[in-house]
Amino acid sequence: MKRRFIITAGPTREFLDPVRFLSNPSTGRMGYAIARAAAAKGYEVELVSGPVALRTPKGVVRHDVVSARDMKRSVDLLLKQPFDGKTFFIATAAVADWRPKKIAAKKLKKSEMSSVLELERNPDILKSVKGAIKIGFAAETGSNIEEAQRKCRDKDAAMIVFNDVTSPGAGFGTITNRVVFVCADGRSEVLPLMTKDAIGRRIVKFCEAL
Ligand code: C5P
């Protein structure tokens, strides 16, 4: 069976002028680990990456993007490419939910800036994807499995990988993670503290079994 993995990773940056942006502390490690695991099994891997300081894994095609809208455009283009096998879309990116309504072409002077920033919603990339088997992540503060189940249904995903970013050894920037696989059929599997590379291999295995 031919398999293709389209993976989003890292943060997005939402600029308000050429020198200021809204973003988050995602390092991209989880997405890069999945990409490495899938490429090691010989699958086609397209990695759509926000700005991170990681090396592209061997055998992976990387597409660099900055904003959420760039990321969506890149994903949409990749999904349009014909492929005679199963496509998996794995969304690990910490996509900024909001972007500034206006992007100034020149650096804003302090005197020109208001203390209120007008924002608008970014597109939900995972939710919008069609024609792929989808896996998403839910980074929560606290153990909120019901929320992961709700996200799984809402985004029509085969699985949501839940993690509590406040738990020790889990979340942004760590090399380990503590996750729960929350599946569309209502089942869930609690995994022990593992390296992100080991979790990447488990996710690829999960995809192979579908
Ligand atoms: O709704 P929430 O942001 O918690 O959902 C997280 C999941 O959705 C992650 O898999 C993330 O990559 C994806 N997502 C996305 N586009 C967004 C927001 C989240 O693909 N705008």
Side-chain angles (χ1 to χ4, degrees), residues 44-64:
E44 187 180 319
V45 184
E46 309 276 357
L47 180 59
V48 181
S49 177
V52 298
L54 297 174
R55 263 192 283 165
T56 311
K58 219 171 120 213
V60 169
V61 181
R62 171 168 161 182
H63 309 267
D64 286 316

Side-chain angles (χ1 to χ4, degrees), residues 24-44:
N24 61 67
S26 169
T27 58
R29 281 205 175 113
M30 193 61 251
Y32 277 61
I34 301 168
R36 191 161 31 248
K41 301 291 289 285
Y43 301 128
E44 187 180 319

Side-chain angles (χ1 to χ4, degrees), residues 72-203:
K72 182 171 184 330
R73 265 191 295 273
S74 180
V75 165
D76 288 345
L77 277 175
L78 289 167
L79 283 165
K80 274 198 197 124
Q81 289 175 4
F83 182 72
D84 61 339
K86 268 190 191 166
T87 298
F88 295 89
F89 177 70
I90 307 189
T92 73
V95 182
D97 292 310
W98 299 89
R99 63 172 181 271
K101 201 161 183 179
K102 286 194 215 112
I103 306 178
K106 287 195 182 144
K107 182 180 172 185
L108 294 164
K109 291 196 171 57
K110 276 191 222 47
S111 58
E112 293 167 345
M113 292 176 83
S114 150
S115 61
V116 179
L117 184 59
E118 250 201 290
L119 301 174
E120 58 191 3
R121 283 306 290 264
N122 267 330
D124 188 323
I125 304 168
L126 176 58
K127 192 168 175 168
S128 72
V129 162
K130 304 242 169 351
I133 298 167
K134 304 195 281 186
I135 294 178
F137 276 69
E140 305 288 341
T141 50
S143 137
N144 197 346
I145 302 283
E146 294 73 34
E147 179 60 8
Q149 256 145 7
R150 189 196 61 76
K151 270 181 198 171
C152 200
R153 283 191 299 272
D154 178 52
K155 301 188 192 228
D156 191 25
M159 173 166 81
I160 289 285
V161 180
F162 166 84
N163 71 305
D164 173 1
V165 291
T166 58
S167 138
F172 290 125
T174 54
I175 57 162
T176 55
N177 209 354
R178 197 186 291 276
V179 301
V180 182
F181 284 181
V182 177
C183 302
D185 61 10
R187 281 185 297 177
S188 60
E189 188 185 352
V190 181
L191 275 68
L193 184 71
M194 287 165 86
T195 63
K196 287 183 176 172
D197 274 320
I199 295 170
R201 289 191 291 272
R202 286 290 287 268
I203 291 171

